Each structure stands twice: as C-alpha cells, then as structure tokens.
Amino acid sequence: MNRSAAEILREYGPFPGADDVAGVTFDGRQVWFASGDRLNAFDPESGTLQRTIDVAAHAGTAFDGRHLYQIAEDRIQKIEPATGRVISTIPAPGGGGDSGLAWAEGTLWVGQYRDRKIHQIDPETGAILRTIESSRFVTGVTWVDGELWHGTWEGGESDVRRIDPRTGKVLEQLDMPAGMGVSGLESDGGDRLYCGGEKSGKVRAVRRPGAQSRRRPEAPGD
Amino acid sequence: MDSLITAAARALAAGDPLGALKRVALRDDAPALALRGIAMAQLGDLARGKALVRSAARAFGPKEAVAHARCIVAEAEIALAARDLGWPAKTLDAARATLEAHGDRANAAHARYLEVRRLLLVGRLDEAEQRLAELDPAPFPPALSAAHELVVAGIAMRRLHTQTARDALARAGRAAREARIPALAAEVESASLLLDTPAARLIAHGAERPLRLEEVEALLASKVLVVDACRHAVREPHLVISLATRPVLFALARTLGEAWPGDVARDTLIARAFGGKSADESHRARLRVEIGRLRTLLRPLARVSATQRGFALAPRGVGEVMVLARPVEEPHAAVLAFLTDGESWSSSALALALGASQRTVQRALDALGAAGKVQSFGRGRARRWMTPPVPGFTTTLLLPAPWPGD
C-alpha cells in the first residue's frame, strides 16, 4: 500500500447558507455539493456559486451524465438538474445509515457510514448487488479510471483511500491533515479529488496520485 | 455522519426534537443514541435523556474521543438541569481537557460554564468567580455568551453588585436574541425580573416599604446603621457585627432598631427576645444581662442606653438607624439568615452556629424546603443546604452536538 499525506490543491467556500457539506459530485462543468436542505453548484475554475436546488440533501451525491442522485434520510432521490424536480426515489441500502454515493457503469455505489461498508446497488430498484467491507467508517465514494476511492473518518482522523473493489484491500491512502474531515468525495476524472469538508463548509481539491500522466476525461462519471 | 443522523441533527438544530426522534427512534448506534438523548432532554425527560447520552458515550468509546467527550458534557448539563449536583466534576473536567486538546474550543468552554454554574449552584462563589475569570466570552457563539453573562449576573446578584448584574443581563439579553433561542431569552427575562422585584423590606421611623436589590445595595453603602434581619447583623458600610449565632441579642437589637429614635419598654423587649412570656423578676434580670452583652458587642457602632421605661439605641458615627427585613417574615428566620450568604451549609454546621440541636435545625430546614425557600443537594452526611439559586444556571439545555466532524 502507498501511504502519503493528502496534497490539498485548492479550497472552495464556505458558501453562504451552506455551512455543512455532505455529498459532492461533478457534472463535467460544475461541482455539486449537498448542504442539508439544498444542492449547490459552483464553478471549479472561478470558485463562484452558480446555482442551487432546494431539495433534502443529507448525505451522498452522484451524477450519471444526465441526472443527479441525492441521499436524503433513508432514500435516494433522482433529480433532474434543469428543473430540480425529484423524478423518482429508491430506498437507500443502509436504511438511513448511508453516507457517500457514486455512479459507475450503470450502477450506484453507496457508503454505509458506521457499518464500514460499500454497497453496489441497482439504480432502478435499490436492490443490493454486492457489498465490500472497509476497515474504517465510510464517508464519500467515487469511481475514476476503474479505481474505487472512498473517504474515511474515524477516531478524529480522516483519509482518502483507493481500495480493491473485489477484496476491499487498501491500495493507496492519502492522510488528511489533523482535524480535517472528508464527508463527500468525487473525482473530476483527472488529477483532482473533490472532498466535502463537513462542518467547515468547504470543498477541498486533493491531488489524485498517478493521475497526472493520464488524459483528461471526455465524459464525466465514467 | 450519515444521512438520517444529518437529517435528525438538522431537525434538532431547528428546534424540532420530535422530528429528530422520528428519524432515529429505531437506531441504537452511538450518534443515534446521543441524538435521542438530547431530544428527550429537550422534551423534558431528563432521566431518559441522561441514560441515553450515557449509553451514547459508552458506544462511542475512547477511540472516538471528541464525540465521547461531548456526550460527557451533555450528560453533565442534563445532570445540572436535573439538579443532580453529585455528578462527578472530575469527569467533566477530563472531557473539557479532551475537547481543548482536539481544538473544540466552543464545547470546551461550554464544559467550563457547566462547572462554573455548578459551583454557583452549590454556593462556592469564590471558586466560581475564579473559573469564570479564565474565560473570555468574546469569541464564543451567542448562546455561550448569553450563558457567560448569566453566570456573571448570578455572581453579582449574590454579591449585591446590582449594576454589574444589570449590565451583564443586558448583554445576556442581546446574545440570547442573537442566538434565537426563545428559552434562553426567557431565562434572561426572568433573571432581569429578579432585579426589579422587592428583595427586602425597609423598616424606619415606624413605617415600612419594599426595597429592590439595588436599593438594598445603596442602603448598605450609605451612612445608616442597618439592623439587618436578612443576615442577622448590625452594620455600617465598613463594619459588620454578626449576631447570627446570637438570636436573643439580635431580637433585642432589631426591636430597638425598629423603635429608633424612640426607646422600648422592658416588657416589650422581654416578650420579643424571650418568646412572649409575661415578664417576671427573673426575666428582668436576664434582660439586664443580655442588654449588657449586646452593649459590649455593639460598642463600635452604637450605644445601648437605659431610659426611664427601658432601653434605646443611639448610633455613634452615622445618622440614622433602619431595619432591613426579608420581604415576607417567616419562621426559622435565624436559619435563613445563615443561608442568605449564598454559601452552602450542612445541617450540623448550622446547628453548631445557631447553638440549636440538630433536630431543631433539621425541622426548620424541612419546613423551609417544603416552602421552596431553601434547597438541598447531596445525600446523607454530604447533604448541603442553601437558598434557591439566582440566575446563572439556566435550565435551557445548550447541549453540544456529540457526533464527530470538524
């Protein structure tokens, strides 16, 4: 396992009216993050807030190329970004103990915080397809270039780690500075991982190691 | 933290404990237990709230140190609201140190206020003042600032510094409004009312009128010889002669003070000091003895001179004599006189000080307790008594959020 200190490239926020950051996702242009009672989108170049959608947003956020997915209480809402309308909901696999959310290859991946698990589920029914165990409380989850990354927070320490999606074995670990938590997690497809900063109200861009040599993605969320 | 915990925490923060409970009612993991405990405490079920917060602390365990410490602080606050003063102060202090070490300054300060409020509640004013002086409220969120000012006001009122109390309450009111916690604002309001309700009665020249706390303060600072029936003392601004352990002498002094500048007949003095029996020769002899003792004790402040029909009081340095009494006269005034100092007393110490039997003192304390005029904490030999609290220990629960996060 490679272990190193997380390199923080940039901090965004806190943004007014959004003092607690939960899930984070990226739609190719804007970074979206959940802040309890709304979704917020900002431009990662300028760092300015672009728009908000009033919708219950308590934990993970994901984007499948067309729709946003957002965990609220014990369900996952599918949201149309243009209108902000919730077009369908499915039960969350953790029954409300859910944290992070990611989209990859036609399925959703959901972190179950204190149970230290990541579930792969059917986005239509919510049925659990398989489950990976982690050794720490799971916060955000994301897929990039075939790599499964997730954030952790436990005992006052937080890190971002890449794990083997079959065995759950930790392959790479980026330790966050003391007192800095990771709530949501999302990759921009390139060398950046966007990390939700919980009560700090910030979203932090952390360097994804080994990504520099790779091409920029043409489509998000793959 | 996870989705339902976030949702429940948001409901709690928005003042909706039932909404919070609804979301985590069926969960038994640590953050859910903590949220349920806080919600129950806010709904008034302190016993259940305390038990839940305690099990949350256990469930978090030492590894989740900050969350664990916050649960300890929450449990201490619920215990304080429930007037369970036997709650271990050491545990709270350890939790405070943990929070400080992890950079959670607001909750560390919150723990410190709980400690100060407890000290104030059990009548350890000096210690409360010392601990309070270590805190600078400036960087705290409004709810904590309000708590700070309430404690300042509470100590000032105990010490009869009414302007200090008034200023602190004004600041507390502003902070409470800023915090938007209605219960906190109401607490400040009721504390402010205390400053405007009669705190004592002034008896002078055969007339009496109620006095507010700041008028009491002004009176005690003025050039008047005050026979203080609240504390059983005779006093000038710079000299206080306590007669708290001498109930007979105090009764004589008070009777003379009420009659000033006139004199008091021997029979009247005998009736007031020795308990209403008709005077005979032995009573007159005893009166002479007691007046002699009073004369000796009061010498620095006043003369007790014989007149044709009895005795009269004549102040030495100052102009007038006035009597300060409790707003409503009640039995067991001597016991109350001790407790008015705001400190906590054991019944055996009171019995010793009063020269009465412990049985008698206990009966008096029970009667006063039933009337809500005194309160006790602790059990058995550790039991202590004091007059009911002044502000500074709002029962408004400002419980910390126990889940981790920065």
Side-chain angles (χ1 to χ4, degrees):
Chain A
M1 179 194 48
N2 288 323
R3 184 171 178 176
S4 56
E7 185 186 342
I8 294 166
L9 302 170
R10 184 165 175 187
E11 288 194 337
Y12 302 94
F15 299 98
D19 41 18
D20 198 344
V21 177
V24 180
T25 196
F26 182 61
D27 67 6
R29 282 187 309 118
Q30 302 178 112
V31 177
W32 290 83
F33 70 91
S35 62
D37 52 6
R38 72 179 203 210
L39 273 163
N40 313 264
F42 66 83
D43 171 17
E45 290 305 318
S46 66
T48 52
L49 197 64
Q50 307 277 331
R51 60 175 295 213
T52 62
I53 298 175
D54 288 328
V55 65
H58 301 127
T61 314
F63 183 68
D64 68 358
R66 282 183 61 205
H67 295 106
L68 291 162
Y69 293 84
Q70 176 60 51
I71 302 177
E73 302 201 8
D74 56 357
R75 56 189 197 278
I76 300 172
Q77 313 169 109
K78 187 174 180 180
I79 300 159
E80 201 170 64
T83 61
R85 210 159 49 90
V86 176
I87 53 177
S88 65
T89 62
I90 53 171
D98 310 87
S99 49
L101 190 62
W103 172 270
E105 309 290 345
T107 57
L108 282 171
W109 297 71
V110 190
Q112 198 177 340
Y113 183 55
R114 294 186 73 86
D115 293 296
R116 304 183 179 95
K117 284 176 184 160
I118 298 170
H119 304 289
Q120 182 186 17
I121 65 165
D122 181 326
E124 296 302 318
T125 64
I128 296 175
L129 305 174
R130 69 182 169 118
T131 298
I132 305 167
E133 307 271 341
S134 174
S135 57
R136 307 231 313 155
F137 292 166
V138 177
T139 60
V141 182
T142 192
W143 275 92
V144 55
D145 292 340
E147 299 173 1
L148 176 59
W149 289 80
H150 78 86
T152 77
W153 168 273
E154 194 165 339
E157 288 170 358
S158 207
D159 60 53
V160 179
R161 52 178 64 181
R162 178 161 67 88
I163 61 171
D164 185 319
R166 286 157 303 164
T167 61
K169 185 170 172 266
V170 183
L171 305 173
E172 177 115 33
Q173 179 176 329
L174 312 177
D175 294 319
M176 293 297 281
M180 226 180 250
V182 174
S183 45
L185 183 68
E186 176 66 301
S187 140
D188 72 345
D191 67 348
R192 288 179 159 207
L193 293 164
Y194 292 111
C195 303
E198 264 202 309
K199 288 191 171 51
S200 69
K202 290 177 182 170
V203 175
R204 300 184 175 99
V206 169
R207 183 183 301 284
R208 177 164 69 100
Q212 290 91 334
S213 56
R214 296 186 195 120
R215 63 187 164 66
R216 296 284 296 185
E218 55 273 4
D222 61 353
Chain B
M1 73 189 143
D2 66 48
S3 184
L4 266 185
I5 293 292
T6 306
R10 293 182 62 86
L12 254 192
D16 177 16
L18 287 172
L21 277 179
K22 192 183 82 188
R23 289 171 171 91
V24 291
L26 300 175
R27 283 178 51 169
D28 282 326
D29 54 294
L33 286 171
L35 273 169
R36 284 166 55 197
I38 288 174
M40 290 309 286
Q42 287 186 349
L43 290 169
D45 188 344
L46 298 182
R48 183 91 189 106
K50 200 171 117 181
L52 281 163
V53 171
R54 175 175 293 180
S55 43
R58 242 191 330 262
F60 276 124
K63 193 159 177 253
E64 292 179 76
V66 172
H68 180 261
R70 289 178 187 168
C71 285
I72 300 284
V73 174
E75 190 190 337
E77 182 164 16
I78 297 171
L80 186 69
R83 297 291 183 262
D84 168 16
L85 302 175
W87 202 84
K90 258 190 196 156
T91 314
L92 179 62
D93 202 50
R96 186 189 56 72
T98 303
L99 292 171
E100 219 148 64
H102 285 83
D104 184 356
R105 287 212 195 86
N107 281 318
H110 187 53
R112 181 66 97 190
Y113 284 121
L114 293 178
E115 187 192 346
V116 174
R117 279 157 62 186
R118 185 178 166 280
L119 287 170
L120 182 56
L121 192 57
V122 301
R124 284 152 65 180
L125 295 185
D126 289 342
E127 278 173 80
E129 227 163 20
Q130 272 166 28
R131 292 270 189 282
L132 192 64
E134 294 165 15
L135 286 166
D136 169 18
F140 297 151
L144 264 191
S145 308
H148 179 97
E149 300 298 351
L150 275 169
V151 176
V152 171
I155 293 176
M157 283 169 81
R158 284 281 196 212
R159 298 231 190 264
L160 271 182
H161 298 154
T162 49
Q163 191 54 46
T164 308
R166 213 174 269 286
D167 294 346
L169 286 174
R171 290 191 297 270
R174 277 195 296 276
R177 278 191 298 277
E178 209 182 314
R180 294 183 198 202
I181 302 175
L184 195 57
E187 181 81 26
V188 177
E189 186 73 16
S190 71
S192 307
L193 277 178
L194 271 183
L195 277 178
D196 293 323
T197 43
R201 225 156 19 104
L202 182 70
I203 306 168
H205 304 289
E208 48 177 90
R209 67 183 180 87
L211 288 189
R212 285 177 297 127
L213 200 61
E214 64 198 341
E215 293 174 307
V216 173
E217 183 186 5
L219 176 72
L220 296 185
S222 68
K223 288 193 170 239
V224 169
L225 184 73
V226 177
V227 180
D228 182 350
C230 299
R231 291 160 196 83
H232 281 211
V234 181
R235 60 201 296 166
E236 269 180 37
H238 300 295
L239 184 57
V240 179
I241 293 169
S242 173
L243 297 176
T245 58
R246 314 292 291 269
V248 170
L249 297 191
F250 183 78
L252 290 172
R254 177 171 177 175
T255 311
L256 292 169
E258 283 177 12
W260 187 90
D263 63 350
V264 185
R266 284 182 185 81
D267 287 359
T268 311
L269 285 169
I270 286 166
R272 290 279 294 269
F274 305 146
K277 293 165 202 131
S278 62
D280 58 22
E281 250 334 288
S282 72
H283 281 118
R284 286 170 189 272
R286 191 174 160 209
L287 179 65
R288 273 194 299 278
V289 172
E290 298 290 2
I291 287 284
R293 288 177 176 150
L294 185 64
R295 189 175 276 144
T296 311
L297 279 173
L298 292 191
R299 190 158 287 150
L301 289 179
R303 283 191 309 273
V304 183
S305 40
T307 62
Q308 200 103 59
R309 57 187 198 119
F311 295 93
L313 201 59
R316 276 180 207 281
V318 294
E320 285 189 273
V321 178
M322 294 182 184
V323 174
L324 189 69
R326 296 180 63 84
V328 180
E329 292 287 343
E330 60 255 298
H332 314 301
V335 172
L336 273 175
F338 279 96
L339 298 175
T340 307
D341 66 359
E343 309 271 335
S344 54
W345 289 75
S346 68
S347 60
S348 56
L350 281 171
L352 208 64
L354 280 162
S357 82
Q358 206 156 334
R359 260 321 267 138
T360 306
V361 169
Q362 197 57 54
R363 263 198 296 274
L365 287 171
D366 288 343
L368 287 167
K373 286 175 179 139
V374 300
Q375 62 180 27
S376 67
F377 58 91
R379 277 178 225 291
R381 295 171 65 88
R383 195 162 200 200
R384 294 291 179 272
W385 296 83
M386 62 183 300
T387 48
V390 283
F393 13 170
T394 150
T395 41
T396 312
L397 291 162
L398 305 171
L399 299 159
W403 42 87
D406 57 0

